[in-house]
Amino acid sequence: MQRKAYVPGVAALLAALLAGCTGGSGGGDTAEDAKPGDTGTTTTAAQPGRYLTLPEPCAAVGQDALDSLLPGIREIADKDQREQAYAGESTLTYNTDRKVGCRWKVESTDATDHLLVDFERVVSYDNSVSDDSQAKDLFATKVVAADLPEPVVSTTATPAAPSASASPSSSGSADPTDAASASVSTSASASPGTDTDAESAAALQPRVLDGLGDEAFLDDALSGADSTAQQRTVTVAFRTSNVIVTIEYVEQPTTSGTMPDSKEMQDRAQKLASRLAGAFN
């Protein structure tokens, strides 16, 4: 029987086809998405942020909060104008999934108050960086830009207990009357009113805040000459997961030489921030 001739080219083609079927996608995965230096190993993508949407900012601030922050809002006689003042005005944005805000402005007989509430949802486009990490880095830049002062450490000394050998009595033990008198005298001299005032002022300095979101800070700036009505701007910003919330509260009195109360404005802004942070939980 005559054998058929063996054709090397056909055998090579069959071998190549068989290798393609059993070898998987092979070099077909060296796609344009591959990064330089990629060895082909699979890496786990970083987790997305907790929040995928943002609240409606103009509806996020309740009427009672606006009454506190903007005292003149209740003085508006015209009902339509008052309702419009409560409604606020949305800030300009090109992507409501990523950044939204609302502002209010109300004039009263004593001052003009401004309030801005801003929500920003941070998204990382790097598979190796989570949305939370990206938001944390962005928040750190806001803290640096705020240029917060170093925390003030109290230097008020705590009076030491009198030594047993300091005022011995005839029996060899300390006189309790003398010890009590020494304690009262030391306490009085260690806590003068000026120290209390200094500590109160230090407590109102721009600072990092605890217990608000994952991290937070407060800034307080005063502008204007002493002879004019000085404008105070209190900013409270906090981050919760991949969302950064910023509150900017501004007050300018109508009377020259008047200064807005720092503690009052800070308390109002922090109270609103706590409410907003609670809405994210």
Side-chain angles (χ1 to χ4, degrees):
M1 177 183 298
Q2 184 178 5
R3 296 177 181 273
K4 293 184 178 180
Y6 177 70
V7 183
V10 174
L13 178 60
L14 290 173
L17 290 173
L18 288 173
C21 291
T22 58
S25 58
D29 279 342
T30 59
E32 47 200 40
D33 288 341
K35 298 179 177 58
D38 192 353
T39 60
T41 57
T42 303
T43 57
T44 303
Q47 292 296 316
R50 178 179 179 183
Y51 302 104
L52 302 179
T53 59
L54 290 171
E56 207 289 310
C58 291
V61 184
Q63 181 172 324
D64 58 339
L66 292 173
D67 287 341
S68 173
L69 291 152
L70 311 170
I73 201 167
R74 288 174 294 184
E75 299 177 5
I76 302 175
D78 185 271
K79 180 181 178 182
D80 293 336
Q81 292 181 359
R82 187 169 61 252
E83 289 180 353
Q84 185 176 359
Y86 276 118
E89 180 183 355
S90 297
T91 58
L92 179 64
T93 181
Y94 297 100
N95 187 344
T96 55
D97 286 335
R98 294 289 304 279
K99 189 176 178 64
V100 292
C102 189
R103 65 175 71 252
W104 295 260
K105 176 184 176 181
V106 176
E107 298 179 357
S108 68
T109 54
D110 296 326
T112 299
D113 293 286
H114 304 256
L115 175 65
L116 169 66
V117 174
D118 180 88
F119 298 116
E120 181 175 3
R121 186 174 68 90
V122 181
V123 177
S124 170
Y125 293 104
D126 185 342
N127 286 337
S128 64
V129 179
S130 69
D131 293 348
D132 280 22
S133 296
Q134 184 75 10
K136 188 174 183 179
D137 290 345
L138 180 59
F139 193 82
T141 63
K142 292 175 71 71
V143 175
V144 171
D147 194 22
L148 304 179
E150 291 292 331
V152 177
V153 179
S154 175
T155 57
T156 302
T158 301
S163 171
S165 60
S167 301
S169 65
S170 58
S171 60
S173 60
D175 187 341
T177 304
D178 292 343
S181 299
S183 177
V184 171
S185 176
T186 305
S187 299
S189 61
S191 302
T194 54
D195 286 349
T196 303
D197 294 341
E199 289 177 2
S200 299
L204 296 175
Q205 290 295 307
R207 61 200 180 276
V208 171
L209 299 176
D210 296 324
L212 181 61
D214 295 323
E215 52 185 334
F217 72 87
L218 179 148
D219 197 8
D220 189 330
L222 195 63
S223 60
D226 293 340
S227 59
T228 63
Q230 294 183 291
Q231 176 178 290
R232 183 178 297 278
T233 302
V234 173
T235 302
V236 177
F238 67 89
R239 178 184 68 85
T240 174
S241 185
N242 62 315
V243 171
I244 295 176
V245 180
T246 304
I247 297 168
E248 188 177 274
Y249 181 34
V250 182
E251 181 170 290
Q252 182 166 13
T254 54
T255 306
S256 298
T258 305
M259 182 186 302
D261 186 87
S262 182
K263 184 179 187 307
E264 185 177 68
M265 291 185 64
Q266 288 190 24
D267 287 347
R268 291 172 180 176
Q270 288 188 82
K271 187 174 181 180
L272 174 59
S274 296
R275 290 186 179 184
L276 295 178
F280 279 94
N281 296 330

